[in-house]
Amino acid sequence: MIDVAVLGSTGSIGTQTLEVIATEPERFRVSALSAHGSVELIAQQAAEVHPDVVVITDESRAADLAGRLPAGTTLDVGPAALEAAAASADVVINGVVGFAGLGVTLATLNAGKRLGLANKESLIAGGPVVQRARATHGAELVPVDSEHCAIHQCLRANDHPDRLARVVLTASGGPFRGRTAAELADVTVEQALDHPTWSMGPKITIDSSTLMNKGLEVIEAHELFGVDYDDIDVVVHPQSIVHSMAEFSDGTTMAQVSMPDMRLPIGYALTYPDRMGSAFGAMDWTRAVTLNFEPPDRTTFRCLDLAYAAGRLGQTAPAWLSAANEVVVEAFLSGGLRWTAIGELTDEALGQWDGTLADSVDSVLHADRRAREVTRHIISGRR
């Protein structure tokens, strides 16, 4: 029986993780759940799976939750409790949103446990810090992300790491694929949130529309697999069936193919190096399938190259970029900016990166804080 901590259990990744676990109850036991403030949902989840501990990070909601947990389940509060829950499980699914997820990542890896990582900030902002934790004996990092899970699987077919020539990340193209910058000048928030393939939260959906999400995944791929930025390509694949590819020195390209279903990479992270007995995203190859690939429009969707630029700068530049983009996207969602301003203002903010080294968690947090201050100042000057 594998003890699993599902942290960020009330979000999309967390709820789907519990669905996957429920298909093989003889194999998995949920030892911990966590949420920031979703009291009603996490109480319902706790009643269903009876974890050892439930962590709520918003202390003001703890009293509401205290009397709603089943017998035998302990309530803990705050970031330290979150990290303790991570360190005590066999496998941790990190679906925590934002920088709170970095502490979970480090606690899991430093404890020598397997981490199923769905928290982008951990690798984008804290990559150099996380790399040191990955060296801990017994630590494993398995990505819970369709593209990086695909690469992880493709690399299993290669016994010689030096023969990896290139990583190719696929992108759906988002809701604005094929449209020019002029055509996008007056798009609405509702249009930007209308993703053609995936159902995601507002922030990541807007990032998909600008290709920033794919750019951040480029940084993640570099950190996860040690591939140089010159050897990471992005192609637009609107069907979202080929989730990514790895090309080897002899010209062979390995691809991972399935219908879009996040339960597949979640199950893969839970069972690696084994696989789930339940099929998620299985293809019906008796039906005709057409797959299209095209290069991204890097002029209209300039955020993709901003991510490459931040990645090449290294240190805390990716943390700076991520924070700046988050502030700009918040302003767009609130109706204060045009869609085309997202790339413009994020570019301006990245140009003011202060060069802080990523030598500790505190330095990463400093970069995040300063980037937000700088970006808010830039936005205020535009209004």
Side-chain angles (χ1 to χ4, degrees):
M1 185 71 74
I2 299 170
D3 280 353
V4 183
V6 185
L7 304 182
S9 65
T10 58
S12 174
I13 292 296
T15 55
Q16 290 181 88
T17 299
L18 293 176
E19 288 179 22
V20 172
I21 288 172
T23 66
E24 298 191 18
E26 75 289 346
R27 191 174 190 179
F28 304 108
R29 186 182 79 90
V30 178
S31 62
L33 298 172
S34 85
H36 178 62
S38 300
V39 168
E40 185 168 339
L41 180 52
I42 200 168
Q44 177 183 329
Q45 291 174 339
E48 292 171 356
V49 301
H50 291 82
D52 298 328
V53 61
V54 166
V55 178
I56 191 92
T57 53
D58 181 353
E59 296 186 17
S60 69
R61 303 305 305 278
D64 293 340
L65 182 59
R68 304 179 64 175
L69 297 179
T73 296
T74 300
L75 174 63
D76 282 340
V77 180
L82 199 63
E83 295 171 18
S88 65
D90 298 319
V91 178
V92 176
I93 300 298
N94 184 357
V96 175
V97 176
F99 266 101
L102 178 57
V104 170
T105 291
L106 295 175
T108 305
L109 296 175
N110 285 328
K113 303 298 181 65
R114 184 192 309 158
L115 172 69
L117 182 63
N119 172 266
K120 286 186 177 297
E121 285 81 0
S122 293
L123 282 175
I124 295 162
V129 179
V130 172
Q131 295 297 6
R132 292 193 285 273
R134 288 178 75 181
T136 303
H137 177 71
E140 288 183 306
L141 197 166
V142 183
V144 177
D145 176 274
S146 61
E147 292 80 4
H148 301 113
C149 176
I151 297 301
H152 197 280
Q153 295 186 66
C154 291
L155 294 183
R156 292 177 70 175
N158 177 41
D159 294 329
H160 302 280
D162 58 320
R163 294 304 187 187
L164 176 64
R166 185 167 300 277
V167 162
V168 182
L169 299 176
T170 54
S172 69
F176 302 141
R177 179 176 61 89
R179 297 172 67 172
T180 66
E183 292 171 331
L184 294 171
D186 297 315
V187 298
T188 65
V189 170
E190 290 72 21
Q191 289 170 325
L193 289 173
D194 187 19
H195 196 281
T197 306
W198 297 98
S199 177
M200 305 173 290
K203 165 62 165 56
I204 194 170
T205 304
I206 299 302
D207 281 351
S208 179
S209 78
T210 65
L211 291 193
M212 177 60 85
N213 188 53
K214 199 55 50 178
L216 297 178
E217 288 176 3
V218 167
I219 297 173
E220 288 183 274
H222 169 77
E223 294 291 344
L224 280 167
F225 307 116
V227 183
D228 189 86
Y229 285 103
D230 290 340
D231 297 326
I232 304 173
D233 286 340
V234 171
V235 297
V236 174
H237 168 54
Q239 291 84 12
S240 299
I241 288 173
V242 175
H243 294 287
S244 278
M245 298 171 272
E247 178 187 319
F248 301 103
S249 60
D250 63 352
T252 295
T253 296
M254 303 291 291
Q256 187 265 321
V257 181
S258 66
M259 295 301 291
D261 191 330
M262 282 305 299
R263 292 174 298 176
L264 191 156
I266 291 168
Y268 180 80
L270 286 170
T271 58
Y272 177 80
D274 193 5
R275 290 184 182 271
M276 294 290 297
S278 303
F280 299 108
M283 295 287 297
D284 180 359
W285 291 108
T286 65
R287 302 177 63 183
V289 177
T290 299
L291 305 178
N292 302 100
F293 302 91
E294 61 191 53
D297 177 354
R298 305 176 95 103
T299 301
T300 300
F301 302 96
R302 60 190 296 182
C303 287
L304 177 60
D305 282 338
L306 288 181
Y308 273 94
R312 289 186 169 107
L313 286 170
Q315 297 297 336
T316 60
W320 190 281
L321 174 76
S322 178
N325 175 70
E326 187 173 315
V327 172
V328 175
V329 169
E330 286 173 358
F332 169 72
L333 287 169
S334 69
L337 292 175
R338 293 176 294 112
W339 181 89
T340 51
I342 297 174
E344 296 169 8
L345 299 186
T346 304
D347 188 2
E348 187 174 344
L350 180 61
Q352 297 187 39
W353 174 54
D354 62 8
T356 300
L357 299 179
D359 54 4
S360 68
V361 173
D362 285 344
S363 65
V364 171
L365 293 173
H366 165 80
D368 176 85
R369 184 170 57 252
R370 282 291 299 134
R372 292 173 190 276
E373 293 170 356
V374 166
T375 307
R376 290 186 183 107
H377 179 72
I378 291 171
I379 292 172
S380 68
R382 287 291 189 98
R383 288 173 168 168

